[in-house]
C-alpha cells in the first residue's frame, strides 16, 4: 500500500478516535461566512498584459468609429447620441447607423458610477455593485424548468415562486434575480407584474425588473415606488434591468427605450452582449471580447446621456458553439479566458461588471453539468465580476432551470464565499504554536490552535458526501443529484415568507389588478 | 420570452441553416492542441503579496530551526544532514531530531535544477518538469477500483494494466503515473515489478517507480537501466519516485532510503507532505502551507546531499477534514487557496512543483465529483504546478480509482490544454475584418475569418453532450457518467500497445522472474 493511502487511513483512524471537538449541528451551517454580499479578499487574476489590453480597446474603438452601431425604432436614442457627437447615417425610416470617434463613448461613460448600492426592501440585504463587491443571483430567462421527478416542462408562475423561495432560503445567494424562469402560464404582456410581485412578496432581497417592453419596464419601476416610496426611488437604485444588445452591433428600440426608462428613473441597468462566437461575433476570443466591449460600452453610454450618474453595469456573456453541429456550447475553456479579459477591461474603465455564471449544456445535474459550471463560474470569480447572474440553476444551454442544479450551485456559491475570502496570514493562522505544542509525529486534534479554529477553518457543504464509502453505501449509495432533489423539497417545505407591510401588499395587488384589467392577454 | 433566450434560439436557427463549414470527424479530435507536455500561455495566479509570503517562509524556517524534523531508522541520512550543518539530537537508538539554522536548507537546495527532462522510452513523449511546463498524470495509490457495472472492489493487476492503457490512449495525459491502483492480487513485495513492467510494456510515456521499500526503488531503477541502458540512466532522468513525508515533521527510514536510492542514481524524486489540516498540520491554511514548505524542502534537500544536481520536485497535497465527522475532505476551497500559495513559494525557491489534482470525496462520477475536482484542479492549473499527479480517476477520497471518472477527467485535461494556451491577441484574432465584412446585424458563419479559424478556435469535447434537448432525449437521455462508461470500454477495445524491442522485453521479463523466484510472497 502506498504512503499516501497509509497516511489517509492513519488520519481517519486518528480522526475517529481523536479527542478533538467535532463541529455539531446540521451540515451546511457556516454562519461566519454569511454576508449580504461578498467583499473580495483575493486579487483578480490578470490574464493579459497592458499592451494586449490596449490592442483590444483600440479594436473596440475602431469598431465604433469605422463600422458603427445600428439603432432601430427609437429616434429619441438617436437624437441623444447625435447631440453627444455621434455621426448618424439614416439607413431607412426606422434604422440608423451611428459612428463614434475613438474615445467619445469613454468620455460619455466618465459620469457612470464605479460602484453603487442596490437597495433591498430589507436594508440588511442591500447589495453593493462594483469595486471589490461580489453578488450572486439565480439564473435568468429559461422557458423550461426540470427536476428529477417530473423531467422537463414549460415553467409556470408556481415554478417561478418556488425558485424565488429557494433563493431566499439560501444564505449563499445575495440577490433574487429577475426572470428566473418564464411563467409561461401567464400572458406575455402581464407576466412581468406577477414576476415583480413574486420577488417583492417572497423575497426581501434586491431583484431585477422587466425589460421586454418599455411599459413593462415602467411598471416594474412603479411597483418599486409603491414598495420604497417615490422619493426614495428617485434618489436610490432599488431595481435593475438586464438588457441584451442584438449582436452583432445592433441596439433595437425595445432595448433602448427600456434602458432609457430605467436610467430616467435613476435605476440600474446591465448591458449584455450575448456573443455566440462564430455566429454573432468573431470566432476568436480576442475579437469577441473587443466586440463585447464596443457593444456594452455604447449601451451603457445611453444611460449617461439620459441621466448622468445613473448606475450602469458593463456585461459579457461569451459562449462558443459546437463547430460540428452548430449548437451553442457553454462552460467551455475559451469563454472562461474571455471573461478574465473582460474583467481587466472593466477595471480599466472603472465600471462594475456582470460576467459568466454556472453555465452548462448538460440536460441533467450530472458530472458534465458541474464540470462546465465550474469552468465558467471560476472565471467569474477570478475575473472580478461584481454581479454574477446565472449563479444557480442553469442547465440545458440556458433553456431549462433545474431544481437540483439550483441546490448544487447554491452550495457551490457557499464554498466560493470561503474561496473569495482568501488566506489570512497572521501569527495565529501561521500556527507555529500548534506544531510546537505537540512536536513531530503527534496529531493536532486536541491542540489549542485546533480547538480555537475548528468552527470556522473549513467550508462545510450541505450537499457533498464526505463519509467513508461504507457509511455512504449503508445509507443507500445516493448520488449528489438525488441528494439535491431531497434538499430542494425540504427547503420549500421549511420556507417562511419574510414579513411585508399589508398596506403595501394591498397597493401592489391593486396596481397589478388594474393593469391586468386594462388590457387583453397577449402571447407575444 | 427574454432577450437572452431569443438570442439563443435565433443563433441556433442560424447555426443549423448557416452556410458555414462545420467541423467534421469524431468528437474530441483536437489535433492542434496535442503536445507531449503543456507550455503555459497564461500567467500564474498570485494570491498573496510578498510580505505574506515572507512570513510563511520565516515560519517554515522557524519550524526547522526551533522544532526540527524527526528522522527514523536511517543513520546514513542523519550523517548526511549532520555533515551539512544540521544540529542532531539522538532521541533513541533509531530516532533523531535534526534542527536547521534559518536558510540552511535553502542553501542546500541551491544545486537542485529549476527544470529538468524526464525521458520517455518514446523520445517524442519525454516531458519537461519545471518552469512553464505542465504535465498531467493519472491518479496514484488507490487500493480500490470502481466502475458503473461492477461497483467497488480491490484493484488487480488487470485493472492496473487497463488504466495504463487508458492513459496511453488519451492525448490529454502526458505521463503514465505510478501506482495507478494497487494490484492487490500480487504479493506486496513483488507487485512493484509488475507495475513497472506494465508502464514500460503498455505505455511509451514517462512513469514513476516504486518507493515502498529501498530494494523496490532499486529494482525500478534497474528495470529502467535494462530499458534505456545504464549509461543513459546515469546521465538522464528516466524515472521518478513519489515520496511522502510522515507528517507532522517526520521522515521515516523507508522514505529517506528510497530518496537516497533515486538521487544516487541521478533519478527524480517528488517530496510530498500529505497534510490533512487539523490532523497532521495546523487547521489554518497559512500554517499548513508553512509546514508543507518546511517538510518538502527538507526532504528535497536530502537529494542534493546525496548527489548535487539530482532532480527534485517540491510538492503539496493539502486537504481538509469534515469537522463534524473527522473524515478527510477533498476538493474544498481552502486547499485550493493553499495550492495557489504553494505555487508562489515554489517559484521563489526556483524549484518545480507537484500540487493538487482532480480530487473528490464522491463515491460516484456525479455532480459532486466534478465540482470538487474542478475546485482542486483549477488551483493546480492556476498555481503553476508543473507535475499534476491525480489528474485522472480520483474518487472516494483517493481510496478508489474510477474508470468513468478517469474518462471524465481526461476529457477535462483536454479542455485545460485550450485554457492554459491562453488568449492570442493579434490583428487576425482581433477579427475586425470579420465584423467589417458583414456589418451590423449579419451573422458571421460564412465570413472569411470564421472559415479560417473554425477548426482550431474551440475545444471540442469527446464526452460532453451539447446537442439540443430533443436530440439528447431521442438518443436515450444519457448522463455523462454513462457516456464515460461506454467510452472507457471503447478505448480499451481499440487500444494498441506501442512497439517494444523484443530483446528488451525478454530481458525485463527475465529480471522480474529472477527477482520473484528469489523471495517468498509477502503481503505487507
Amino acid at each position: 500500500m502506498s504512503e499516501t493511502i497509509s497516511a489517509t487511513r492513519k488520519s481517519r483512524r486518528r480522526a475517529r478516535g481523536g479527542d478533538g471537538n467535532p463541529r455539531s449541528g446540521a451540515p451546511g451551517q457556516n454562519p461566519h461566512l454569511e454576508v449580504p454580499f461578498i467583499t473580495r479578499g483575493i486579487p483578480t487574476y490578470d490574464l493579459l498584459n497592458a499592451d494586449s489590453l490596449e490592442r483590444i480597446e483600440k479594436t473596440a474603438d475602431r469598431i465604433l468609429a469605422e463600422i458603427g452601431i445600428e439603432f432601430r425604432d427609437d429616434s429619441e436614442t438617436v437624437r441623444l447620441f447625435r447631440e453627444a457627437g455621434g455621426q448618424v447615417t439614416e439607413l431607412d425610416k426606422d434604422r440608423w447607423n451611428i459612428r463614434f470617434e475613438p474615445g467619445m463613448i469613454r468620455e460619455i461613460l466618465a459620469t457612470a458610477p464605479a460602484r453603487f448600492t442596490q437597495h433591498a426592501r430589507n436594508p440588511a440585504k442591500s447589495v453593493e455593485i462594483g469595486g471589490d463587491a461580489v453578488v450572486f443571483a439565480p439564473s435568468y430567462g429559461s422557458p423550461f424548468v426540470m427536476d428529477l421527478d417530473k423531467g422537463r416542462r414549460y415553467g409556470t408562475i408556481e415554478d417561478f415562486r418556488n425558485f424565488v423561495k429557494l433563493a431566499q432560503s439560501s444564505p449563499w445567494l445575495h440577490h433574487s434575480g429577475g426572470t428566473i424562469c418564464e411563467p409561461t402560464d401567464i400572458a406575455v404582456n402581464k407576466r412581468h407584474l406577477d414576476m415583480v410581485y413574486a420577488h417583492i412578496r417572497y423575497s426581501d432581497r434586491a431583484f431585477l425588473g422587466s425589460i421586454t417592453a418599455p411599459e413593462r419596464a415602467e411598471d416594474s419601476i412603479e411597483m418599486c415606488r409603491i414598495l420604497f416610496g417615490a422619493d426614495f426611488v428617485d434618489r436610490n437604485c432599488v431595481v435593475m434591468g438586464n438588457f441584451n444588445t442584438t449582436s452583432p452591433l445592433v441596439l433595437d428600440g425595445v432595448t433602448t427605450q427600456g434602458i432609457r426608462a430605467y436610467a430616467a428613473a435613476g435605476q440600474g441597468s446591465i448591458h449584455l452582449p450575448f456573443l455566440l462566437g462564430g455566429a454573432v461575433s468573431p470566432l476568436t476570443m480576442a475579437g469577441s471580447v473587443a466586440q463585447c466591449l464596443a457593444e456594452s460600452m455604447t449601451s451603457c453610454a445611453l444611460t449617461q446621456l439620459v441621466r448622468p450618474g445613473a448606475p450602469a453595469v458593463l456585461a459579457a456573456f461569451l459562449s462558443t458553439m459546437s463547430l460540428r453541429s452548430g449548437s451553442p456550447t457553454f462552460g467551455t475553456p475559451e469563454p472562461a479566458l474571455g471573461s478574465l479579459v473582460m474583467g481587466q477591461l472593466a477595471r480599466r474603465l472603472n465600471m462594475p461588471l456582470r460576467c459568466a455564471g454556472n453555465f452548462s449544456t448538460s440536460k441533467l445535474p450530472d458530472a458534465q453539468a458541474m464540470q462546465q459550471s465550474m469552468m465558467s463560474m471560476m472565471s467569474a470569480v477570478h475575473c472580478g465580476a461584481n454581479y454574477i447572474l446565472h449563479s444557480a440553476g442553469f442547465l440545458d444551454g440556458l433553456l431549462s432551470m433545474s431544481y437540483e442544479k439550483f441546490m448544487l450551485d447554491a452550495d457551490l456559491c457557499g464554498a466560493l464565499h470561503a474561496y473569495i475570502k482568501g488566506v489570512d496570514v497572521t501569527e495565529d493562522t501561521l500556527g507555529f504554536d500548534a506544531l510546537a505544542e505537540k512536536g513531530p509525529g503527534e496529531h493536532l486534534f486536541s491542540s489549542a490552535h485546533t480547538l480555537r479554529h475548528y468552527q470556522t477553518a473549513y467550508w462545510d457543504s450541505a450537499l457533498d458526501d464526505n463519509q467513508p464509502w461504507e457509511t455512504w453505501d449503508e445509507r443507500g449509495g445516493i448520488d449528489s443529484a438525488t441528494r439535491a432533489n431531497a434538499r430542494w423539497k425540504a427547503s420549500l417545505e421549511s420556507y417562511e415568507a419574510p414579513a411585508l407591510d399589508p398596506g403595501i401588499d394591498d397597493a401592489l395587488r391593486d396596481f397589478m389588478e388594474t393593469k391586468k384589467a386594462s388590457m387583453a392577454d397577449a402571447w407575444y
Side-chain angles (χ1 to χ4, degrees), chain A residues 37-40 112-118 127-134 309 311-313 350-353 386:
Chain A
F37 59 90
I38 301 174
T39 300
R40 295 180 71 87
R115 177 179 180 134
F116 61 91
T117 302
Q118 184 184 356
V127 295
E128 298 276 305
I129 310 279
D132 58 4
V134 181
V313 179
N350 201 24
M351 283 188 68
L353 177 68
N386 304 108

Side-chain angles (χ1 to χ4, degrees), chain A residues 162-418:
Chain A
N162 283 343
F163 282 114
V164 172
K165 292 174 184 177
L166 291 174
Q168 168 77 8
S169 302
S170 172
W172 313 124
L173 297 169
H174 313 113
H175 193 280
S176 196
T179 308
I180 306 191
C181 68
E182 286 287 345
T184 61
D185 51 345
I186 299 178
V188 170
N189 62 335
K190 299 180 179 176
R191 64 176 65 155
H192 65 287
L193 299 163
D194 294 270
M195 288 195 278
V196 169
Y197 178 75
H199 281 300
I200 294 174
R201 183 68 198 88
Y202 301 111
S203 173
D204 60 358
R205 293 192 174 134
F207 62 92
L208 302 177
S210 178
I211 49 87
T212 53
E215 64 276 15
R216 298 173 201 157
E218 296 286 4
D219 285 348
S220 304
I221 297 164
E222 196 53 38
M223 288 174 80
C224 288
R225 293 194 180 107
I226 295 170
L227 177 63
F228 288 95
D231 278 1
F232 189 87
V233 171
D234 190 51
R235 286 179 285 104
N236 297 285
C237 172
V238 301
V239 67
M240 296 198 292
N242 181 61
F243 295 94
N244 279 50
T245 56
T246 305
S247 304
L249 307 177
V250 176
L251 275 162
D252 68 45
V254 169
T255 300
T256 53
Q257 290 172 67
I259 291 168
R260 291 196 288 105
Y262 277 86
Q267 301 308 303
S269 49
I270 300 165
H271 302 262
L272 186 77
F274 183 166
L275 299 185
L276 191 59
V280 300
S281 69
L283 208 62
T284 44
M285 203 39 67
S288 269
V289 168
Q291 178 184 334
C292 183
L293 183 64
E295 291 187 9
S296 188
M297 283 201 306
T298 305
S299 187
C300 284
L302 176 56
T303 64
Q304 302 307 302
L305 299 181
V306 173
R307 179 165 166 168
V313 179
L314 203 73
F317 192 128
L318 302 165
S319 66
T320 52
M321 60 176 180
S322 164
L323 294 168
R324 281 178 293 110
S325 69
S327 289
T329 45
F330 298 93
T332 50
E334 295 83 7
L337 294 167
S339 294
L340 293 171
V341 179
M342 276 306 296
Q344 295 183 274
L345 295 168
R347 282 190 289 287
R348 288 164 65 97
L349 258 180
N350 201 24
M351 283 188 68
L353 177 68
R354 176 203 146 185
C355 197
N358 267 313
F359 299 170
S360 176
T361 46
S362 184
K363 319 303 180 293
L364 290 170
D366 61 357
Q368 176 186 340
M370 291 315 287
Q371 188 267 297
Q372 291 181 323
S373 277
M374 285 292 287
M375 181 66 84
S376 174
M377 192 64 176
M378 293 310 278
S379 80
V381 162
H382 288 135
C383 84
N386 304 108
Y387 182 73
I388 307 178
L389 199 64
H390 303 301
S391 284
F394 190 119
L395 269 190
D396 189 15
L398 187 47
L399 291 174
S400 297
M401 186 76 183
S402 156
Y403 279 82
E404 287 82 17
K405 178 77 158 29
F406 190 95
M407 302 310 285
L408 292 164
D409 286 343
D411 192 66
L412 165 62
C413 285
L416 293 173
H417 279 64

Side-chain angles (χ1 to χ4, degrees), chain A residues 11 29 41 64 76 94 140 147 152 164 199 313 429 438 507:
Chain A
S11 303
Q29 307 295 315
L64 295 175
E76 172 61 9
D94 300 314
Y140 184 107
D147 66 55
R152 189 198 205 226
V164 172
H199 281 300
V313 179
T429 62
K438 299 283 183 174

Side-chain angles (χ1 to χ4, degrees), chain A residues 47-107:
Chain A
L47 199 75
L48 294 184
N49 60 25
D51 180 57
S52 292
L53 295 171
E54 275 163 30
R55 294 186 72 172
I56 292 172
E57 287 166 343
K58 278 188 183 154
T59 302
D61 283 355
R62 205 178 151 206
I63 290 168
L64 295 175
E66 298 179 32
I67 305 173
I69 302 287
E70 184 175 316
F71 292 81
R72 295 177 184 166
D73 305 313
D74 181 13
S75 57
E76 172 61 9
T77 287
V78 174
R79 187 189 67 75
L80 288 166
F81 275 118
R82 181 187 281 121
E83 280 193 6
Q87 289 179 279
V88 178
T89 307
E90 193 174 305
L91 302 172
D92 63 35
K93 187 169 65 72
D94 300 314
R95 289 197 309 134
W96 302 262
N97 178 284
I98 311 187
R99 300 179 189 211
F100 306 93
E101 287 297 303
M104 181 183 296
I105 292 291
R106 282 164 202 284
E107 264 173 53

